[in-house]
């Protein structure tokens, strides 16, 4: 059974709604040591045996560091309004606390000016996970000093190119950095300690709040915000155990970030659950975190189904499943956006990432990725439905512009609407990109 795909028109959305595509530095750039760049925690992590599915790394990736100009032409050709990208912190300040690297700053300034020349709005993310390795050696995000190094980094970028940025997000997905990076250890820096993870999450939030205040003090005209990965937590059954567990998981993923950002407090049930592992919070930290922001970015891929005994299997839901093993569940996006609008005084929301990994086949120069095209269409319709229900939405960005290094999954999972041949670095627009371009070109 295939789910009917909604008829969509760009004219259903306001004229100032921002349509975009997204990437991140480590996943596309390559050139880990070129022009004075320092190593990041992901460069080091990839060198540990067995942590990346295909034993790959980011050394070459999409060679975007060399190919950025033609990549910008490709983005312009899609007809998007905005490009969401990130700066590799160790490319601009190799050790995170020492000298700045002029060539690294030049690279990103060229990128920003190149976007503006092509009529595309630059949407910058400061931290998409690639902390300078030298800062990790000093304790990384678990160490409170890193908060202040991040604020300096934000100030340095604002001073050099902030006048030309449309938007600055401090962090991408603090939950992922905290929990996958420091509790389960499946992502860099590969630490497995619950108390460390909780402290990291607090430092990420604090550095967000302090950076926003510093950027405002510098007169930043960009819209300032943060990007969270969120999904509704559905109990597998209506039984008490599953319901209780789902509420706790919702606390750990959503309320742990939304409550401090919008209510200046951590959720009590999660604090109770963490017990002695709860983070050390100093006076004023929560007020600093809860500074007003101009936008909130939501990365949405799927819902989560929670069973207390972990017996629930994705395959049993009967829903279509992507190559990541994630259910295709667009209703969850509407549910999530409406809930955020209802429970929090949120600023305008963006979907800053949404998309799917599918097993694409490249045939005669074409990639007929109907699964991905339908995925994107159904999620755009889910955004329209949230807006119909009163949610203030400002934009939607596809993850991702092109196939790239998918973290612990390496290059095996392809999220791009543009196919990348990793032997030749040839880029080919998949059918999903052709559809998106057509959708964006609609005028009536
Ligand atoms: C998100 C990340 C992004 C990408 C997608 C698939 O968690 O922000 O870099 O890997 O997942």
């Amino acid at each position: 059974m295939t789910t009917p795909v909604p008829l969509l028109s760009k004219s259903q959305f306001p004229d100032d709604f921002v349509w975009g595509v997204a990437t991140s530095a480590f996943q596309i750039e390559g050139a880990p040591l070129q022009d004075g760049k320092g190593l990041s925690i992901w460069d080091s992590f990839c060198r540990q045996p067995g942590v990346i599915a295909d034993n790959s790394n980011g050394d070459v990736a999409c060679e975007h560091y060399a190919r950025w100009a033609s990549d910008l032409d490709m983005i312009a050709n899609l007809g998007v309004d905005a490009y969401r990208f990130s700066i590799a912190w160790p490319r601009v300040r190799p050790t995170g606390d020492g000298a700045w690297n002029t060539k690294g700053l030049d690279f990103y300034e060229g990128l920003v000016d190149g976007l503006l020349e092509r009529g595309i709005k630059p949407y910058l993310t400061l931290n998409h996970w690639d902390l300078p390795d030298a800062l990790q050696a000093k304790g990384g995000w678990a160490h409170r000093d890193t908060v202040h190094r991040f604020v300096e980094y934000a100030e340095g970028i604002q001073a050099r190119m902030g006048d030309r940025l449309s938007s600055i997000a401090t962090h991408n997905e603090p939950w992922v950095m905290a929990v996958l990076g420091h509790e389960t250890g499946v992502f860099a820096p590969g630490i497995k300690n619950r108390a460390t993870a909780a402290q990291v999450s607090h430092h990420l939030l604090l550095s967000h709040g302090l950076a926003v205040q510093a950027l405002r003090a510098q007169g930043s005209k960009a819209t300032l915000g943060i990007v969270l990965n969120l999904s509704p937590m559905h109990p597998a059954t209506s039984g008490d155990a599953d319901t209780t567990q789902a509420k706790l998981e919702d606390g750990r993923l959503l309320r742990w970030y939304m409550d401090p950002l919008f209510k200046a407090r951590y959720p009590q049930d999660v604090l109770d659950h963490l017990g002695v592992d709860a983070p050390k919070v100093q006076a004023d930290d929560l007020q600093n975190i809860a500074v007003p922001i101009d936008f909130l970015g939501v990365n949405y891929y799927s819902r989560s189904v929670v069973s207390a005994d972990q017996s629930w299997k994705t395959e049993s839901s009967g829903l279509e499943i992507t190559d990541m093993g994630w259910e295709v569940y667009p209703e969850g996006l509407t549910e999530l956006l409406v809930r955020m609008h209802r429970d929090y005084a949120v600023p305008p929301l963006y979907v800053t990432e949404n998309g799917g990994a599918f097993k694409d086949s490249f045939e005669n120069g074409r990639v007929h990725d109907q699964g991905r095209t339908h995925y994107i269409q159904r999620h755009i319709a889910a955004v329209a439905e949230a807006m119909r229900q009163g949610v203030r939405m400002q934009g939607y960005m596809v993850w991702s512009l092109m196939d790239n290094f998918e973290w612990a999954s390496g290059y095996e999972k392809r999220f791009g609407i543009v196919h990348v041949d990793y032997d030749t670095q040839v880029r080919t627009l998949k059918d999903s990109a052709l559809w998106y371009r057509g959708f964006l070109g609609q005028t009536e």
Side-chain angles (χ1 to χ4, degrees):
M1 191 192 78
T2 52
T3 314
V5 175
L7 270 179
L8 282 177
S9 160
K10 197 185 155 194
S11 63
Q12 291 167 253
F13 294 82
D15 284 346
D16 61 354
F17 192 87
V18 178
W19 298 95
V21 283
T23 63
S24 85
F26 189 80
Q27 294 177 275
I28 64 168
E29 285 179 0
L33 286 167
Q34 210 170 317
D35 295 335
K37 179 180 169 291
L39 293 178
S40 78
I41 55 173
W42 271 93
D43 289 306
S44 308
F45 186 66
C46 291
R47 275 161 186 73
Q48 295 176 27
V51 299
I52 310 295
D54 56 3
N55 295 311
S56 64
N57 55 52
D59 286 2
V60 177
C62 306
E63 280 185 1
H64 174 73
Y65 188 70
R67 297 170 185 272
W68 65 272
S70 51
D71 284 342
L72 295 196
D73 290 341
M74 182 170 80
I75 296 168
N77 178 259
L78 290 173
V80 292
D81 305 305
Y83 174 49
R84 174 173 179 252
F85 65 100
S86 76
I87 289 182
W89 181 354
R91 202 180 281 291
V92 297
R93 202 178 187 197
T95 59
D97 58 4
W100 291 79
N101 179 29
T102 311
K103 285 189 174 159
L105 287 164
D106 290 347
F107 171 72
Y108 293 109
E109 188 170 48
L111 191 74
V112 168
D113 289 342
L115 286 167
L116 295 176
E117 279 159 23
R118 291 166 179 79
I120 303 162
K121 295 184 168 75
Y123 272 57
L124 170 66
T125 303
L126 287 167
N127 173 22
H128 201 122
W129 310 352
D130 42 0
L131 181 78
D133 212 25
L135 285 186
Q136 188 62 45
K138 296 178 178 175
W141 283 111
H143 187 39
R144 196 169 165 108
D145 282 2
T146 301
V147 170
H148 303 292
R149 301 295 83 76
F150 180 75
V151 174
E152 291 166 7
Y153 161 50
E155 289 171 333
I157 298 304
Q158 172 63 33
R160 178 70 183 257
M161 63 196 87
D163 57 332
R164 283 153 284 167
L165 297 171
S166 292
S167 161
I168 304 175
T170 52
H171 300 296
N172 179 70
E173 304 188 345
W175 179 89
V176 170
M177 288 183 274
V179 175
L180 302 188
H182 298 81
E183 185 169 331
T184 64
V186 296
F187 278 11
I191 291 167
K192 295 183 179 138
N193 183 308
R194 190 173 77 161
T196 306
Q199 195 62 50
V200 163
S201 65
H202 179 64
H203 289 159
L204 287 166
L205 285 164
L206 179 60
S207 67
H208 154 80
L210 294 177
V212 166
Q213 294 174 49
L215 292 170
R216 289 228 171 92
Q218 275 176 295
S220 171
K221 293 197 181 56
T223 55
L224 306 176
I226 187 169
V227 172
L228 304 179
N229 55 302
L230 301 173
S231 59
M233 293 287 172
H234 291 170
T237 68
S238 55
D240 283 352
D242 290 350
T243 307
T244 305
Q245 189 67 26
K247 183 166 177 285
L248 176 65
E249 298 295 341
D250 175 71
R252 297 204 61 193
L253 181 76
L254 188 144
R255 289 181 284 113
W256 186 256
Y257 298 91
M258 292 294 286
D259 285 14
L261 287 167
F262 297 103
K263 298 180 176 173
R265 62 167 197 234
Y266 282 112
Q268 193 57 46
D269 59 333
V270 184
L271 287 172
D272 293 345
H273 167 76
L274 287 172
V276 293
D277 290 342
K280 292 181 187 59
V281 177
Q282 296 185 10
D284 297 337
D285 282 2
L286 282 156
Q287 270 59 42
N288 280 321
I289 292 170
V291 60
I293 50 179
D294 305 315
F295 79 93
L296 177 67
V298 177
N299 292 352
Y300 178 83
Y301 290 92
S302 187
R303 68 167 177 172
S304 300
V305 180
V306 181
S307 59
D309 62 4
Q310 315 215 323
S311 59
W312 193 85
K313 298 275 170 290
T314 308
E315 308 80 58
S316 59
S317 73
L319 295 169
E320 189 190 349
I321 291 167
T322 71
D323 199 23
M324 296 297 280
W326 301 341
E327 290 176 341
V328 179
Y329 194 75
E331 305 87 325
L333 178 55
T334 310
E335 178 187 327
L336 176 70
L337 296 169
V338 170
R339 183 260 180 113
M340 289 165 69
H341 169 72
R342 187 194 64 207
D343 289 359
Y344 297 91
V346 284
L349 304 176
Y350 285 82
V351 172
T352 30
E353 287 182 23
N354 175 246
F358 291 88
K359 286 207 188 313
D360 297 326
S361 55
F362 190 84
E363 285 161 11
N364 306 320
R366 293 287 298 271
V367 179
H368 298 302
D369 59 339
Q370 205 192 46
R372 181 177 294 102
T373 308
H374 286 177
Y375 181 102
I376 294 170
Q377 292 170 338
R378 292 177 62 199
H379 285 80
I380 291 175
V383 172
E385 174 57 22
M387 292 169 80
R388 203 189 58 75
Q389 295 186 37
V391 183
R392 277 192 302 165
M393 298 292 310
Q394 202 117 75
Y396 173 91
M397 320 235 172
V398 174
W399 185 271
S400 176
L401 165 67
M402 59 184 158
D403 296 333
N404 57 49
F405 177 76
E406 180 44 40
W407 309 112
S409 306
Y411 296 94
E412 287 171 357
K413 305 296 180 200
R414 291 176 177 268
F415 273 90
I417 58 172
V418 174
H419 177 270
V420 176
D421 178 330
Y422 292 112
D423 295 328
T424 61
Q425 290 294 344
V426 168
R427 279 83 158 123
T428 307
L429 271 58
K430 302 179 191 178
D431 284 0
S432 53
L434 300 174
W435 174 80
Y436 197 42
R437 182 170 72 180
F439 170 77
L440 297 176
Q442 283 173 348
T443 44
E444 78 282 300

